[in-house]
Amino acid sequence: MPDTTAPDAVPDHVPDHLPDVAPVTARPTHAGPLATAQEQLAGAIGRLGYDAGMHAMLATPRREINVAIPLRRDDGSTELFHGFRVQHNVSRGPGKGGLRYHPAVDVDEVRALAMWMTWKCAVVELPYGGAKGGVAIDPRNYSQPELERVTRRYTSEIMPMIGPERDIMAPDIGTDAQTMAWVMDTYSVNKGYTIPGVVTGKPLEVGGSLGRATATSRGVVHSTRAALREAGLDLPDVSVAIQGFGKVGSHAADFYSDAGSRVEAVSDQYGGVYRSGGLDVPRLLTHVRTTGSVVGFEGGDPIGNEELLGLDVDVLVPAAVEGVLTHDNAGDVKARWVVEGANGPTTARADAILADRGVVVVPDILANAGGVVVSYFEWVQAQQAYWWTEAEIELRLEERMLHAYAGVAEVARRESLPMRDAALMLSVQRVAVAHRTRGLYP
Ligand code: GLU
């Protein structure tokens, strides 16, 4: 198939007839993930030479909803939560992106995460746009029945916006396969029949895909291997530190260790552990399963989250939340590679510092795209009601990740850009080409 998204492939017969309006949300309103996302976009727009109209279109969410979610608690009292769903862009297909339950969720964070989903889906060439949802709640403080009620009410409030051809949800921080089962059930019951394609990351029993739960972590390890290869190295040659030991970090630790890397440090929100020469990851996973944290693991010494980021390891994997690598600590990073398991862990200023210091950052929209790649496989399987084997899924995931990595690396080389700028240039261009090709209605 010809690569119709190469920088020179913008068809010249397609007029650029976008309205020349001011980019209303192109300027960050406050420092945080949205400011980072907007700065990244502005950089790509500048490199691509797009006009203010295109910038405004890509800087502004296509559609967003803000809902109040009342919860009747188990003790009979009521509480109110705020929830959001943002569809950043749907030019290349339905919105796609996770649902986050975290006390710090706000609309600007969801906007940033939705924008990153647009670029992520474009980098790995999925036929999706980008979306994200969030509820400002700390799920650890609520019972399963309470979380089920919150999820069902949220789903019913955003119902007109979602659907297998409109906007497809998946797990993110604070949500899991069970959350997706509740979303799917609420949506299906209201429509009158079972619609598994409205969510991905579902339990296997209701149409989930083999390999989905570990897909993000596998993708992180595939992209690390691809980055190391450029330097003539392989996974057994390197030491790794991982910040975040949730769905992404814990499986990544397992896969790195299986592949022969020395996982020297890991951390979660409660603290971290470090052992020069490598932690015993299987024993660490057993410890986490029994205690709920990496803290207290006897096979290593305690280490703080901030200290972990500055460890003298080869590969640093931030796999927790946004904005952990900032201008304050980017100068302390000793790793040669930063592979972003989390979305938006590096601020724009930190990025510049890392680039100056020769640190290779494999950006989130590429490094952690394995999750949405297998989400796509799950959606395709659900639409066809035909299920693939785990081996097929793993193979196709690896192919797609390596292909995407090669595409980004090629732009990075050709344009002499860091990987993030190359990935953004490629993805922003793919979205812009789709937008221009469709034209404006009316
Ligand atoms: N929440 C994941 C992400 O940020 C997965 C999204 C999806 O599969 O739709 O990439």
Side-chain angles (χ1 to χ4, degrees):
M1 217 170 74
D3 180 6
T4 52
T5 57
D8 54 356
V10 182
D12 53 17
H13 60 276
V14 180
D16 183 6
H17 51 197
L18 291 156
D20 193 14
V21 295
V24 278
T25 61
R27 291 277 161 269
T29 49
H30 70 90
L34 187 58
T36 299
Q38 293 288 11
E39 267 188 65
Q40 293 170 349
L41 172 63
I45 295 283
R47 272 178 211 104
L48 289 160
Y50 290 160
D51 65 14
M54 181 63 89
H55 189 179
M57 204 278 298
L58 295 175
T60 310
R62 170 70 184 267
R63 201 177 278 138
E64 46 186 47
I65 188 166
N66 175 335
V67 296
I69 307 159
L71 164 71
R72 179 171 303 106
R73 295 213 60 177
D74 294 340
D75 66 6
S77 63
T78 55
E79 235 175 274
L80 190 83
F81 300 98
H82 296 283
F84 313 93
R85 185 77 189 169
V86 174
Q87 291 168 359
H88 169 256
N89 190 281
V90 291
S91 292
R92 301 179 69 259
K96 183 82 192 83
L99 169 63
R100 176 171 294 196
Y101 287 178
H102 191 277
V105 161
D106 65 20
V107 70
D108 278 348
E109 181 190 42
V110 179
R111 284 172 178 152
L113 291 162
M115 185 188 285
W116 285 324
M117 284 308 303
T118 302
W119 314 141
K120 194 185 300 188
C121 292
V123 168
V124 285
E125 297 178 77
L126 305 182
Y128 292 138
K132 201 82 176 193
V135 178
I137 182 173
D138 188 343
R140 293 170 306 178
N141 299 339
Y142 297 86
S143 68
Q144 280 292 99
E146 287 171 337
L147 292 174
E148 175 173 357
R149 291 198 286 279
V150 167
T151 304
R152 288 186 183 279
R153 183 62 182 253
Y154 170 77
T155 305
S156 83
E157 293 289 349
I158 66 163
M159 187 94 72
M161 243 175 108
I162 59 172
E165 274 90 31
R166 286 169 194 239
D167 182 349
I168 306 132
M169 246 184 259
D172 195 78
I173 293 172
T175 60
D176 57 15
Q178 179 59 67
T179 321
M180 292 305 111
W182 293 328
V183 173
M184 172 193 153
D185 184 68
T186 307
Y187 185 81
S188 299
V189 167
N190 276 280
K191 295 287 174 190
Y193 60 104
T194 298
I195 307 170
V198 66
V199 292
T200 58
K202 300 177 285 295
L204 287 178
E205 298 74 19
V206 292
S209 175
L210 293 164
R212 175 61 186 87
T214 53
T216 309
S217 316
R218 279 203 195 280
V220 165
V221 176
H222 291 318
S223 50
T224 308
R225 185 188 288 118
L228 295 175
R229 268 188 199 149
E230 293 199 75
L233 297 173
D234 202 352
L235 291 168
D237 303 319
V238 295
S239 55
V240 183
I242 304 173
Q243 189 197 49
F245 213 68
K247 290 192 279 280
V248 180
S250 63
H251 292 301
D254 200 13
F255 298 146
Y256 278 121
S257 144
D258 259 2
S261 304
R262 300 178 306 283
V263 178
E264 295 200 335
V266 298
S267 66
D268 58 28
Q269 58 194 312
Y270 308 106
V273 281
Y274 167 75
R275 183 171 174 271
S276 167
L279 296 157
D280 180 339
V281 173
R283 268 187 57 216
L284 171 68
L285 289 167
T286 308
H287 173 86
V288 172
R289 266 192 296 273
T290 30
T291 68
S293 170
V294 301
V295 172
F297 178 58
E298 284 175 2
D301 299 320
I303 186 173
N305 256 298
E306 195 59 35
E307 209 184 331
L308 179 143
L309 297 173
L311 274 181
D312 191 6
V313 288
D314 300 305
V315 179
L316 174 64
V317 183
V321 287
E322 300 96 81
V324 295
L325 289 171
T326 65
H327 61 281
D328 285 330
N329 61 10
D332 302 332
V333 170
K334 293 183 194 65
R336 216 172 126 195
W337 291 272
V338 172
V339 183
E340 296 184 331
N343 292 314
T346 311
T347 65
R349 280 175 72 190
D351 241 341
I353 295 168
L354 294 172
D356 273 355
R357 299 182 53 236
V359 178
V360 176
V361 178
V362 185
D364 46 7
I365 58 173
L366 172 63
N368 73 33
V372 75
V373 166
V374 178
S375 275
Y376 167 60
F377 296 162
E378 179 178 331
W379 179 78
V380 168
Q381 292 170 83
Q383 302 292 75
Q384 298 179 340
Y386 180 81
W387 306 98
W388 307 351
T389 64
E390 191 154 9
E392 273 177 281
I393 287 158
E394 302 301 1
L395 185 70
R396 289 180 202 220
L397 169 63
E398 182 170 4
E399 276 171 4
R400 230 171 231 272
M401 290 302 299
L402 297 182
H403 179 75
Y405 186 96
V408 172
E410 150 72 14
V411 176
R413 257 192 304 276
R414 195 181 56 223
E415 308 284 330
S416 302
L417 287 173
M419 293 283 283
R420 184 184 323 278
D421 295 342
L424 283 163
M425 203 169 153
L426 199 59
S427 53
V428 168
Q429 185 180 42
R430 284 179 179 154
V431 176
V433 170
H435 175 74
R436 284 182 174 153
T437 306
R438 286 174 62 157
L440 272 193
Y441 169 80

